[in-house]
Amino acid sequence: MLEHIPEWLGASLRNVRAGAEHLTIVNPALGGGYAPIALSSPAFGDWTEMPVRFTADGAGVSPPLVWDAVPTATQSLALIVEDADSPTLAPLVHAIVWGMAPDTRALAEGAIVEDGATGEIGRNSYLAQGWLAPDPPSGHGEHRYVFQLFALDVVAEDLGDAPGRGAVLNAIQGHVIGAGMLTGLYARGEVVDAPVAPGVAPLPG
């Protein structure tokens, strides 16, 4: 949808961005003091450009993700992916995976699809179930796609089919004991330069 915004309009909206302060991982309702989880992707590094394959300009499949040990008290895992730079009031949700087993340590490429095998696949900002491929407006500049993994001290409750961001946020409040973050960059038709000192936001703690 955003790829159809004319370049002149994208450029005029260059300073209109949701903001990293509105990402789920820094929401004050979640508390703080999370144990860190090392979240990464074999397809791109933290604060580097995401390959076109994972965007609306390519195959549009979700990227592979891996992570290390989670807190011993973890009962379930959840993943939320948001665009901190979307020209919207709140970050666009690109993916939700809810209710992953605590011993899960990876999501394969293309795993975030309707009826995915790992956890319940939630609803993105376009109200579809699965991965919303990054499609920033031409001329809008670099976007930060922030993958946020949460370790919870409770077994995931039933949030129904394709839970949205609000339902997941309400369900994890007071239950986050570990968190990891991975930031992938993408800009349509522009060269992406990773910042010298990346600063989406520190993990609360």
Side-chain angles (χ1 to χ4, degrees):
M1 182 180 294
L2 294 181
E3 72 270 22
H4 299 304
I5 292 178
E7 186 171 357
W8 66 265
L9 181 55
S12 71
L13 294 172
R14 201 173 181 95
N15 293 323
V16 178
R17 296 172 183 267
E21 66 274 16
H22 297 300
L23 292 168
T24 297
I25 202 165
V26 293
N27 191 306
L30 299 186
Y34 312 150
I37 301 172
L39 175 63
S40 64
S41 173
F44 63 93
D46 193 23
W47 284 91
T48 66
E49 185 172 10
M50 294 175 61
V52 172
R53 174 171 176 75
F54 307 119
T55 76
D57 296 321
V61 296
S62 60
L65 300 171
V66 296
W67 54 92
D68 65 5
V70 300
T72 55
T74 300
Q75 297 296 305
S76 62
L77 298 165
L79 176 78
I80 298 178
V81 186
E82 296 173 301
D83 178 2
D85 296 297
S86 58
T88 50
L89 293 177
L92 279 184
V93 175
H94 283 260
I96 291 174
V97 184
W98 174 249
M100 289 183 284
D103 59 353
T104 305
R105 291 295 177 269
L107 283 173
E109 178 179 308
I112 306 178
V113 292
E114 186 175 0
D115 299 324
T118 304
E120 176 66 36
I121 306 300
R123 186 174 66 252
N124 60 47
S125 284
Y126 285 6
L127 305 181
Q129 191 176 7
W131 171 249
L132 174 60
D135 62 344
S138 296
H140 197 251
E142 177 183 286
H143 280 220
R144 296 164 292 176
Y145 296 91
V146 187
F147 296 75
Q148 304 154 85
L149 180 71
F150 299 97
L152 311 176
D153 63 1
V154 291
V155 175
E157 62 180 286
D158 183 3
L159 298 181
D161 292 334
R165 181 184 186 274
V168 171
L169 179 60
N170 288 336
I172 68 177
Q173 288 182 26
H175 297 292
V176 178
I177 57 175
M181 187 167 63
L182 169 68
T183 302
L185 309 177
Y186 191 68
R188 176 168 280 115
E190 301 179 45
V191 175
V192 169
D193 293 317
V196 174
V200 160
L203 292 182

